Amino acid sequence: MKSIIEIKNLSKSFGQLKAVDDLSFEVRHGELFAFLGVNGAGKSTTISMICGQLKKDSGKITINGQDTDTDMDSLKSSIGVVYQNSALDMSLSVKDNLESRAAMYGIHGEEFKNRLDELATLLNFKDLYKRTLGKLSGGQKRRIDIARALIHKPSILILDEPTTGLDPQTRKLMWSVIEKLRREEGMTVLLTTHYMEEAADADYVVIIDSGKLAACGTPIELKNQYTGDFIMLYNVSEESVRALGVEYEILRDAYRISVSNTTEATKLIVEHPDVFADYEIFKGKMDDVFLSVTGKKLTGGEENV
């Protein structure tokens, strides 16, 4: 699978602050790519440079084989962006917002009407055409933000913290639409998120810390490298668990035992069948990966750089 976005030795500073520091990674065609980092790690700065909204200090950004330094004008039609903060005009109606955006890509008349109806069906906002943006709920506004990003049928969709603060129903709708477009149109999605379950569903994950690449790989590769396995043990006494001589955590109705890998878990279970009558084995989570890589917990909020 070929790379659709290539970042090489990218750097950006704001005065003495090195927001992005010699960053390199690739996003492959059609994949869901998750870009993780705490607030201030440099995610939004990187995205702004990819979109041509912010000038880089050094490095190279290539999209579809074209250099953004020389070909950004022609590349803009292939990129759609959903920003952390809405880019919509709160004083205009839903239809007027999307019509003005479509006009920027030469989409008018019947072509616009058909595309509007198509997106409204996908994102369930046909009853909102005449409503003023400022009067919509947060979830409704986010649906229109996504429609704005998709109005010109981009091949690359960039989602910068798209689901922060959204209700579960809107999050589920958003992801069902995105997966449909990836499956049917081969759209590439670059995601920044604070929701680890979204990162766990990605094809590839890059973690940055203080503007630098800290770790990268598929979710399973990262889990295998940076976390162990966990055994959830039920209906036993703490005395029995303590006798195993392993690290454990007391939960409400179980004990969580930490092991290095599945091989160690299997050995423990085989050697103590009387203790392991009721259990489950889990891989570490992406939260565990992130904490192991950066020493920090990933929490929600807006990013400054």
Side-chain angles (χ1 to χ4, degrees), residues 30-36 175 179 182 189-193 195-206 217-223 286:
E31 76 178 356
L32 172 57
F33 181 101
F35 196 37
L36 304 181
W175 280 113
E179 285 307 306
R182 287 184 63 218
V189 179
L190 193 163
L191 165 76
T192 77
T193 181
Y195 292 103
M196 287 294 98
E197 68 269 27
E198 294 178 348
D201 289 336
D203 298 303
Y204 200 79
V205 178
V206 160
T218 66
I220 193 65
E221 287 172 344
L222 291 171
K223 289 176 183 179
M286 289 303 297

Side-chain angles (χ1 to χ4, degrees), residues 17-79:
L17 175 64
K18 196 100 174 182
V20 177
D21 189 359
D22 196 32
L23 187 63
S24 298
F25 63 84
E26 297 181 0
V27 180
R28 294 183 179 179
H29 176 77
E31 76 178 356
L32 172 57
F33 181 101
F35 196 37
L36 304 181
V38 297
N39 291 343
K43 305 187 304 296
S44 291
T45 299
T46 302
I47 285 175
S48 294
M49 289 188 283
I50 292 173
C51 298
Q53 294 185 323
L54 187 63
K55 187 176 180 180
K56 56 186 172 59
D57 293 341
S58 60
K60 188 172 184 179
I61 303 172
T62 304
I63 301 175
N64 278 327
Q66 296 178 275
D67 193 325
T68 57
D69 283 344
T70 56
D71 303 313
M72 196 66 231
D73 287 344
S74 63
L75 286 169
K76 285 181 179 178
S77 62
S78 66
I79 302 172

